[in-house]
Amino acid sequence: MDEMKDIRWKQRFDNFEKSFKLLEKYSKESISTELERAGIIQFFETTFELAWKVLKDYLEAEGYVAKSPRDSIKQAFQAEIIEEGHLWMDALSKRNLTTHTYDQELAEKLVIEIQEQFLPFLRKLYDRLSKER
């Protein structure tokens, strides 16, 4: 690995780690108010953004080229860095949707998806990259 690129993904990972831990912590709480749902969704948006960027930086340090979130996810799946590529793509779509619209019913469904589907694969990424840091 190029030393600068190696440092870059590790620095990005530090930010991902902080965001992930907050998302994980508060996702375990009972979420019943609009403010709590909005907070979880915001933590998810931030964590997911950092997740795909740390993937991109990690891939580049390994010699791959990825230019967008979609490219990064596809390349990471092909390189077997992540599993469940379809869930990552679904999370990307949901992240894009939440940044442009707000609907209470959508928010309630998304919180459940974050807790039950998205958080587990973010945990897998966290665990894998923690070992390599």
Side-chain angles (χ1 to χ4, degrees):
M1 273 192 216
D2 178 86
E3 188 175 336
M4 190 61 180
K5 289 181 179 182
D6 189 42
I7 292 169
R8 179 184 221 156
W9 85 260
K10 290 176 181 179
Q11 289 172 334
R12 181 98 63 189
F13 178 82
D14 290 341
N15 291 324
F16 166 72
E17 179 177 42
K18 291 172 193 169
S19 184
F20 170 75
K21 286 187 175 184
L22 288 170
L23 174 64
E24 186 175 53
K25 175 182 175 181
Y26 291 111
S27 290
K28 293 177 182 177
E29 304 289 324
S30 174
I31 299 163
S32 56
T33 70
E34 187 174 21
L35 182 60
E36 291 167 335
R37 278 189 296 278
I40 291 300
I41 291 168
Q42 181 62 54
F43 279 137
F44 165 71
E45 290 171 352
T46 302
T47 303
F48 189 81
E49 185 74 13
L50 290 166
W52 83 257
K53 287 181 177 178
V54 79
L55 280 173
K56 179 182 183 298
D57 291 343
Y58 182 85
L59 287 164
E60 288 176 354
E62 293 289 316
Y64 296 96
V65 176
K67 296 183 180 185
S68 68
R70 191 169 301 280
D71 285 347
S72 299
I73 292 167
K74 284 180 181 179
Q75 189 67 282
F77 180 72
Q78 290 171 351
E80 298 181 350
I81 297 165
I82 61 170
E83 300 172 5
E84 300 139 336
H86 63 287
L87 283 178
W88 277 85
M89 289 299 187
D90 186 38
L92 176 61
S93 295
K94 297 287 171 55
R95 194 274 329 249
N96 290 340
L97 182 63
T98 61
T99 58
H100 300 293
T101 59
Y102 181 80
D103 175 272
Q104 185 167 337
E105 186 177 327
L106 172 67
E108 290 170 1
K109 288 178 183 177
L110 182 57
V111 166
I112 293 167
E113 285 182 297
I114 290 167
Q115 292 169 317
E116 295 176 0
Q117 295 178 15
F118 303 154
L119 194 58
F121 73 67
L122 289 168
R123 162 53 75 187
K124 287 179 184 177
L125 177 64
Y126 172 79
D127 290 343
R128 176 177 177 151
L129 295 182
S130 289
K131 293 174 187 171
E132 296 191 32
R133 187 166 43 148

